[in-house]
Amino acid sequence: MSEIYEKLEKAYKAVRARTDFVPEIALVLGSGLGAFADEKVDEVISIPYSEIEGFPTSTVPGHKGKFVFGTVGGVKVAVMQGRVHYYEGYPISDVVMPARLLSMLGARVLFLTNASGGINPDLAAGDFMLIRDHIASFVPNPLIGQNIEQLGTRFPDMSNVYDNALCDVIKNSAKELGIELKEGIYAQLTGPSFETPAEIRMLGSLGVDAVGMSTAVEAIAARHCGMLVCGISCVSNQAAGISKTPLTHDEVQETANMAAPRFKALIAEAIEDISDHISTVHN
Ligand code: HPA
């Protein structure tokens, strides 16, 4: 059996030794967005990543590093308060291990969030962008290596990564709440340095609307194992060269904090609406 799968099974058993909770929707909270788990989730149990054998732990300020299992408006969720990034030095298989574990725990949907730099001039700091598609060509593909047959097929289709139907549901959630939700293409780069203005011009010419250091590899791993994926990016800053000021992680967190109330409301509504959608369409 593949070492990666053995490690996953160990992590699965470690979680199952603590709880038999089966989430319907898994939510990954990006930089500065972690407060959602404290405020909107009726917690059943939380498990720090450090207590799960073999699990990568986040080293980034603003990323707490635990699973919160509980309910949002009655919907069973598993929330990742903090994620690990490739730039932290973990192999890419570790970076996507949480997404795979969430699938094994029963989650049907992976809802990804992140903070990003806006490239499209229509995107301002504090805007939310529904991720319609991604470019992951600048980071290692998480499926490289022996295929893990227990999870999925060798050559998975990626033509509808961010599920069109879920995108429609989320657009409606935003409309109901009167929250503006833009749409666009997200590109993942490795980081941890922010991009140069020349790199941002390159990404812009490739059709990228927003850039960040996460999400796309998790989405690939989740589609590989058959999850439905959706994602919202909080534009925390205008990207390098568009912004007149140097970029800092503090700015990313400050904007995410300012956007947090609207963000939390949108995610909570979207989770309920997605659950309704899943129960009518996928059952
Ligand atoms: N670039 C890359 N990642 C980011 C940015 C950015 O400008 N802002 C937040 N995450």
Side-chain angles (χ1 to χ4, degrees):
M1 203 198 306
S2 106
E3 266 175 43
I4 294 172
Y5 193 69
E6 273 176 34
K7 204 168 154 180
L8 255 174
E9 282 206 310
K10 268 193 196 151
Y12 175 79
K13 283 181 186 149
V15 173
R16 281 288 169 249
R18 301 274 294 272
T19 179
D20 58 4
F21 189 92
V22 177
E24 179 182 342
I25 298 176
L27 174 69
V28 182
L29 296 171
S31 282
L33 305 171
F36 179 88
D38 302 321
E39 292 167 32
K40 293 279 183 186
V41 181
D42 287 323
E43 183 178 319
V44 172
I45 184 174
S46 70
I47 306 178
Y49 302 150
S50 59
E51 292 174 15
I52 302 171
E53 194 187 328
F55 208 80
T57 52
S58 172
T59 59
V60 189
H63 285 260
K64 268 191 184 162
K66 63 176 181 181
F67 280 116
V68 178
F69 297 99
T71 56
V72 174
V75 180
K76 291 170 94 178
V77 295
V79 182
M80 286 189 69
Q81 208 176 19
R83 58 150 62 88
V84 285
H85 303 81
Y86 186 54
Y87 62 72
E88 293 177 77
Y90 292 104
I92 202 78
S93 57
D94 276 1
V95 176
V96 300
M97 184 180 171
R100 288 169 162 167
L101 177 60
L102 288 161
S103 170
M104 286 170 83
L105 291 169
R108 184 87 184 77
V109 173
L110 183 65
F111 194 152
L112 295 160
T113 70
N114 62 38
S116 64
I119 298 177
N120 186 322
D122 287 344
L123 292 172
D127 278 354
F128 298 142
M129 185 187 90
L130 182 65
I131 303 175
R132 295 307 307 231
D133 202 351
H134 71 219
I135 290 181
S137 315
F138 300 104
V139 287
N141 191 298
L143 309 182
I144 288 173
Q146 186 190 2
N147 184 46
I148 306 174
E149 294 293 331
Q150 294 92 332
L151 297 180
T153 176
R154 171 77 291 185
F155 301 110
D157 174 59
M158 292 287 146
S159 49
N160 184 25
V161 175
Y162 302 86
D163 188 76
N164 278 325
L166 294 190
C167 285
D168 287 345
V169 171
I170 296 172
K171 276 162 62 171
N172 267 327
S173 311
K175 214 183 204 173
E176 268 174 44
L177 296 175
I179 292 175
E180 190 181 15
L181 182 61
K182 296 183 174 167
E183 295 182 43
I185 309 296
Y186 174 88
Q188 178 176 359
L189 270 62
T190 64
S193 49
F194 288 113
E195 302 71 33
T196 63
E199 286 167 332
I200 293 300
R201 285 195 295 276
M202 170 191 73
L203 293 171
S205 73
L206 294 177
V208 174
D209 297 296
V211 60
M213 306 176 192
S214 68
T215 300
V217 292
E218 292 145 283
I220 292 170
R223 288 301 297 141
H224 177 239
C225 60
M227 297 175 98
L228 297 172
V229 175
C230 57
I232 300 178
S233 187
C234 171
V235 178
S236 57
N237 55 276
Q238 288 187 309
I242 300 171
S243 164
K244 301 282 169 279
T245 53
L247 305 185
T248 65
H249 185 60
D250 286 347
E251 178 187 358
V252 171
Q253 280 186 294
E254 275 166 30
T255 310
N257 285 342
M258 264 168 38
R262 278 183 303 132
F263 180 79
K264 285 182 282 198
L266 175 56
I267 302 292
E269 179 67 34
I271 284 174
E272 291 182 42
D273 296 347
I274 289 170
S275 174
D276 287 345
H277 167 79
I278 298 287
S279 60
T280 49
V281 175
H282 290 278
N283 278 342

